[in-house]
Amino acid sequence: MTLVLSLFPGIGLLDMAFELEGDCVVRGPDVIWGGDIRRFHPPAGKFNGVIGGPPCQMFSSLAHLVRANGHEPKFGNLIPEFERCVSEAGPDWFLMENVPAAPEPVVSGYCVT
């Protein structure tokens, strides 16, 4: 059995895909449920993989509409928090979902494709 840590799980749709394949998914904190990724530190060496989709509002092609109304997207760039958690957990692999304009994650020791 593969043990997968889900960061930014939201309502769990990405998690569900992994669960349907027989993986055991452990959900990390999410702002929807009052969690804060900045205070979360996963244990090292426990997870085979880490999955997640940091909030994309900042990089969305529609962010200009929010800014045109005098606001900034609600969440800043949380990709560095995703990178930190992957680094701390030290899994065999990770998968980050995001919009095309978001920067690719950079985690020492991993190749990103």
Side-chain angles (χ1 to χ4, degrees):
M1 173 180 26
T2 301
L3 187 60
V4 178
L5 172 61
S6 177
L7 302 174
F8 308 101
I11 61 171
L13 295 178
L14 183 60
D15 304 353
M16 188 183 312
F18 280 82
E19 290 170 340
L20 287 172
E21 290 300 313
D23 299 317
C24 178
V25 177
V26 176
R27 289 166 182 81
D30 194 286
V31 68
I32 291 175
W33 314 115
D36 186 347
I37 193 74
R38 294 168 293 196
R39 294 192 315 253
F40 179 67
H41 298 278
K46 300 293 182 189
F47 298 99
N48 302 100
V50 173
I51 61 173
C56 63
Q57 292 89 342
M58 183 174 181
F59 306 109
S60 170
S61 60
L62 298 177
H64 69 283
L65 297 175
V66 173
R67 291 184 177 106
N69 287 312
H71 303 287
E72 278 298 309
K74 186 172 183 177
F75 303 103
N77 181 5
L78 291 176
I79 294 173
E81 293 298 325
F82 181 87
E83 295 166 333
R84 176 189 59 77
C85 287
V86 169
S87 182
E88 288 179 8
D92 299 328
W93 54 268
F94 71 89
L95 177 146
M96 187 185 92
E97 177 275 330
N98 217 306
V99 296
E104 289 188 355
V106 177
V107 182
S108 181
Y110 294 89
C111 177
V112 175
T113 58

